[in-house]
Amino acid sequence: YWPSRVASGGTILAPDKAEHPVQLIDARDLANWIVDLLERRVSGTFNATGPANQLTMGEFLDECAAVTGSQPEFMWAPEEFLLAHELGPFQDLPLWVPRADAGITQVSSELALRNGLELRPVAETIRDTWEWQQSRHVQDLQAGLTREREAELLLLLESAA
């Protein structure tokens, strides 16, 4: 959702605060690591997410803009606004969860990293995702806000300010 939405520019409804922590992992990195664990016959319980260093929603969205060459304006919607308008974590605003659940975005992958998990740069994941979406002409991502719903929420947010 985010690479395509940011690439299209304009004013974008951004969740909560720029400092809100987020975590993500490229499915290719996860798959490679799982195969590697199997080949090495390593077992155990691991948390596998990325990046290796803390990432904020603001940094992630800025990276989406840098990768796609877009210059959007982010309108940060307070969590109370998002919850009052029944926006669903991950579904309506991918990578966002309410602060009460923010522990899920601060999971340590140290053990996985010590056991061979290699994470590509976030910019590479963003670029490859965006290029894939463009090559497939993906319109309905089944996640994220529709442009109509986003416009409605932006108007409500502006009028509340």
Side-chain angles (χ1 to χ4, degrees):
Y1 172 74
W2 290 116
S4 288
R5 177 60 193 97
V6 171
S8 65
T11 302
I12 297 173
L13 183 76
D16 196 21
K17 298 178 179 180
E19 300 80 27
H20 195 85
V22 296
Q23 287 185 308
L24 61 123
I25 188 167
D26 191 304
R28 298 169 297 180
D29 296 339
L30 185 59
N32 289 338
W33 179 63
I34 290 171
V35 169
D36 178 59
L37 288 176
L38 290 169
E39 289 174 345
R40 292 186 292 128
R41 298 184 185 273
V42 174
S43 62
T45 303
F46 301 93
N47 293 316
T49 189
N53 300 314
Q54 184 177 357
L55 178 69
T56 66
M57 182 60 85
E59 291 167 335
F60 176 76
L61 293 177
D62 287 345
E63 194 66 43
C64 286
V67 166
T68 63
S70 177
Q71 296 183 346
E73 176 187 344
F74 298 111
M75 185 176 288
W76 295 93
E79 179 176 290
E80 298 73 25
F81 177 89
L82 302 175
L83 295 173
H85 290 87
E86 300 179 352
L87 295 177
F90 286 104
Q91 184 63 30
D92 293 317
L93 295 168
L95 300 180
W96 171 74
V97 294
R99 282 181 235 129
D101 299 322
I104 196 170
T105 64
Q106 299 173 24
V107 173
S108 172
S109 293
E110 183 179 334
L111 184 58
L113 292 165
R114 286 197 321 253
N115 279 275
L117 175 61
E118 294 180 11
L119 301 167
R120 70 192 71 221
V122 172
E124 184 178 333
T125 297
I126 292 168
R127 184 196 69 236
D128 292 350
T129 301
W130 184 54
E131 288 175 357
W132 174 81
Q133 290 169 334
Q134 290 180 305
S135 73
R136 306 249 325 183
H137 307 289
V138 174
Q139 299 299 318
D140 183 11
L141 299 176
Q142 313 228 339
L145 296 171
T146 64
R147 291 303 287 266
E148 295 79 17
R149 177 75 169 135
E150 182 185 29
E152 172 190 320
L153 292 166
L154 287 169
L155 283 174
L156 290 170
L157 189 58
E158 275 188 68
S159 67

